[in-house]
Amino acid sequence: MATQKPSIPKGTRDFSPVEMARRNYLFDTIKSVFRRYGFAPLETPSMENLSTLLGKYGDEGDKLLFKVLNSGNFLKGVDPEEMQAAVESDNPVVLGNKICEKGLRYDLTVPFARFVVQHQNELVFPFKRYQIQPVWRADRPQKGRYREFYQCDVDVVGTRSLLNEVELIQIVQDVFGALGIRVVLKINNRKILYGISETIGHADKMMDITVAIDKLDKIGLEAVNEELASKGLGAEAIAQLQPILELSGTNREKLAAITSIIGAKSPTGLKGIEEVTTILDYAEALDVTLPVELDLSLARGLNYYTGAIFEVKALDFPMGSICGGGRYDDLTGIFGLPDTSGVGISFGADRIYDVLLGLDLFPEETMRNVRALFVNFGGVEEVGAMKLLTAVRKAGVAAEIYPEAVKMKKQFDYAQKREILYMVFVGESELAAQTATVKNIVTGEQSSVPFEAVADFLKQ
């Protein structure tokens, strides 16, 4: 058999022990904040029925779903002419839906909504959950964009209270404060976007407008205007959008300006302005120090958002959005539970990881998952070292013994490469005195420590 070169699919990654130590630090930090705000953990399957996923993310999102072929003869019952037509049209979506009943989850919010409806009789509302799991998107891999990546979501469903939006802002502040990343949180409201669409006479094209202006940071104003024109907006309507997309000033000044533009033309738009004003008032009253900026070009392309929307960007590192979310008033209605509003926010773990790495913000101790290496002298000393090692582990200290009685240099090199802080020597003289020799590899300092005190010494 020919030798196969090992590889993994594009857009996916292996994580080394060092990377996993860093990722666990990131996940643990985020979880600790989520728990502090009263959210409970939840997991859902990697695969969902395609009927659950399709139609929830817009046409562009549907194209990025990874579909799973049906088991057995997945082509059974497929018309050959229909298959050929799909191939020739370069649009195999319809065919794919016939041979695939399942798909890998695109995000954690839609599966969460499905879970809520499916288990509604077992839940206490408002229901608050956090979820940290991988998601998959058939996107073009590039820096900061992967096909398999982790999201850290926190959602509350079963209440329309804007206090939840305020708490999400506080959670963002607490998470990034704990991680040491300076960020700005941008806020908008889909009702305001509807009001803008209504004001320029194109309420029927709200989704086209939001999808286009959501790309403003990526492709620029001119390209956005071209896309709007391609969606059927006339020159006059596009011209009316320009001052809105280019609004500047403080949050209060922007709110005043957009209120003046919308006026009485859109009660829905005014409701959105009122909601944003309330959220900003609470943030101010609670002394939120996180920069919160009203950005009327922020749209977030997902179809299910209906109210406040958020996006977070790092201030000191070039990276796209590292966190985002918003209010969805009737996502559960798709699954048979109407009028059950929810709101949530998702932390993009992989992008946040890249920011932490780029800014050198991972604590040094995250690299040291083993505190001490017990030197192996073999024979009776090996047994004595193992007994002490067992006691140290029971005391909660991560430690190991070199598995073979080899030369000291090899054991020392191993400890250095593993970034282990201490080496513990239990030789003939140490056994006799019931006192271990503990060496700090970084400083070179050595100490004689009674066996019963070794665990506490290593914890220092």
Side-chain angles (χ1 to χ4, degrees):
M1 182 182 292
T3 302
Q4 180 179 342
K5 183 179 179 180
S7 64
I8 58 175
K10 288 183 179 180
T12 66
R13 294 154 297 158
D14 292 318
F15 298 110
S16 69
V18 169
E19 290 168 321
M20 280 308 304
R22 291 170 176 157
R23 287 171 68 83
N24 286 338
Y25 160 75
L26 171 59
F27 293 145
D28 289 345
T29 302
I30 293 174
K31 283 180 188 177
S32 68
V33 175
F34 288 171
R35 288 170 179 158
R36 203 157 64 233
Y37 281 80
F39 291 85
L42 177 71
E43 286 195 356
T44 59
S46 299
M47 289 186 296
E48 293 278 348
N49 293 324
L50 267 183
S51 57
T52 297
L53 302 174
L54 286 170
K56 314 305 187 300
Y57 310 107
D59 291 340
E60 293 189 17
D62 284 352
K63 293 175 184 176
L64 299 181
L65 287 172
F66 272 112
K67 299 179 175 68
V68 180
L69 286 174
N70 295 337
S71 301
N73 183 4
F74 52 85
L75 291 175
K76 185 178 181 180
V78 176
D79 188 327
E81 292 183 4
E82 186 180 39
M83 182 166 60
Q84 184 62 32
V87 173
E88 291 176 356
S89 69
D90 195 31
N91 183 23
V93 173
V94 175
L95 177 63
N97 293 343
K98 288 193 173 185
I99 62 178
C100 304
E101 295 175 352
K102 298 174 286 295
L104 298 180
R105 58 172 174 253
Y106 180 93
D107 72 351
L108 299 178
T109 307
V110 169
F112 169 60
R114 187 267 309 153
F115 174 88
V116 168
V117 176
Q118 193 171 343
H119 298 273
Q120 57 186 287
N121 294 329
E122 307 158 27
L123 303 177
V124 177
F125 292 97
F127 177 54
K128 303 171 74 171
R129 81 85 171 84
Y130 74 82
Q131 192 170 348
I132 298 178
Q133 287 186 279
V135 298
W136 293 266
R137 297 182 187 177
D139 214 341
R140 183 172 65 86
Q142 52 187 294
K143 183 180 179 182
R145 188 179 293 274
Y146 307 100
R147 286 176 171 167
E148 179 187 58
F149 55 97
Y150 271 73
Q151 288 185 336
C152 308
D153 279 23
V154 60
D155 287 80
V156 55
V157 67
T159 171
R160 297 179 188 275
S161 171
L162 294 176
L163 291 181
N164 296 296
E165 278 84 341
V166 176
E167 284 201 336
L168 291 182
I169 293 175
Q170 292 179 304
I171 287 172
V172 169
Q173 176 175 269
D174 289 357
V175 166
F176 289 109
L179 294 172
I181 300 174
R182 294 195 322 123
V183 298
V184 57
L185 182 145
K186 297 190 175 185
I187 184 174
N188 198 7
N189 193 295
R190 289 293 281 259
K191 294 184 180 74
I192 295 177
L193 292 169
Y194 179 83
I196 292 170
S197 304
E198 199 170 27
T199 299
I200 66 173
H202 282 288
D204 60 319
K205 292 187 180 294
M206 179 198 168
M207 292 313 304
D208 290 334
I209 293 171
T210 55
V211 168
I213 68 175
D214 195 45
K215 302 174 184 175
L216 187 62
D217 284 348
K218 300 173 186 174
I219 64 178
L221 186 58
E222 185 176 342
V224 167
N225 289 338
E226 290 175 1
E227 183 168 332
L228 290 169
S230 72
K231 297 297 184 181
L233 268 73
E236 183 180 348
I238 294 174
Q240 287 180 278
L241 271 177
Q242 304 312 294
I244 298 171
L245 298 180
E246 296 174 333
L247 269 182
S248 60
T250 67
N251 291 334
R252 304 297 176 178
E253 290 168 344
K254 291 176 184 177
L255 286 169
I258 194 63
T259 301
S260 175
I261 292 170
I262 290 178
K265 298 174 185 176
S266 176
T268 299
L270 291 178
K271 178 64 175 174
I273 293 171
E274 178 188 328
E275 290 178 1
V276 170
T277 302
T278 299
I279 294 168
L280 292 176
D281 286 346
Y282 265 106
E284 187 176 316
L286 295 171
D287 297 322
V288 170
T289 57
L290 172 76
V292 180
E293 175 188 327
L294 175 61
D295 183 353
L296 293 171
S297 71
L298 175 62
R300 296 197 62 78
L302 297 180
N303 282 354
Y304 52 67
Y305 289 126
T306 56
I309 45 179
F310 306 99
E311 200 162 88
V312 179
K313 292 190 176 181
L315 291 171
D316 303 317
F317 192 81
M319 179 66 72
S321 169
I322 58 176
C323 180
R327 166 74 61 174
Y328 41 92
D329 277 337
D330 197 28
L331 184 56
T332 58
I334 300 170
F335 303 111
L337 183 63
D339 301 321
T340 306
S341 187
V343 65
I345 201 160
S346 176
F347 292 78
D350 299 274
R351 287 190 173 188
I352 296 172
Y353 179 99
D354 289 346
V355 173
L356 287 168
L357 193 62
L359 296 176
D360 194 24
L361 290 176
F362 281 109
E364 187 177 337
E365 57 266 24
T366 61
M367 302 302 101
R368 293 197 175 108
N369 61 324
V370 177
R371 190 75 173 167
L373 175 70
F374 280 66
V375 175
N376 193 332
F377 289 103
V380 175
E381 291 86 350
E382 180 182 83
V383 175
M386 283 293 294
K387 287 182 178 180
L388 181 56
L389 172 60
T390 301
V392 164
R393 286 172 171 165
K394 285 181 178 179
V397 179
E400 62 179 85
I401 186 170
Y402 198 84
E404 301 167 50
V406 295
K407 291 182 179 179
M408 189 63 60
K409 184 179 184 308
K410 188 170 184 178
Q411 299 190 49
F412 181 79
D413 288 345
Y414 173 82
Q416 275 196 318
K417 290 175 181 177
R418 290 285 310 279
E419 297 189 29
I420 296 172
L421 185 58
Y422 293 106
M423 290 185 73
V424 180
F425 299 83
V426 182
E428 184 179 353
S429 59
E430 283 86 4
L431 278 176
Q434 291 290 288
T435 301
T437 300
V438 182
K439 180 176 181 177
N440 185 309
I441 295 177
V442 176
T443 65
E445 182 180 351
Q446 288 193 177
S447 304
S448 293
V449 184
F451 282 176
E452 64 271 16
V454 168
D456 288 337
F457 185 91
L458 294 176
K459 290 178 182 179
Q460 297 175 10

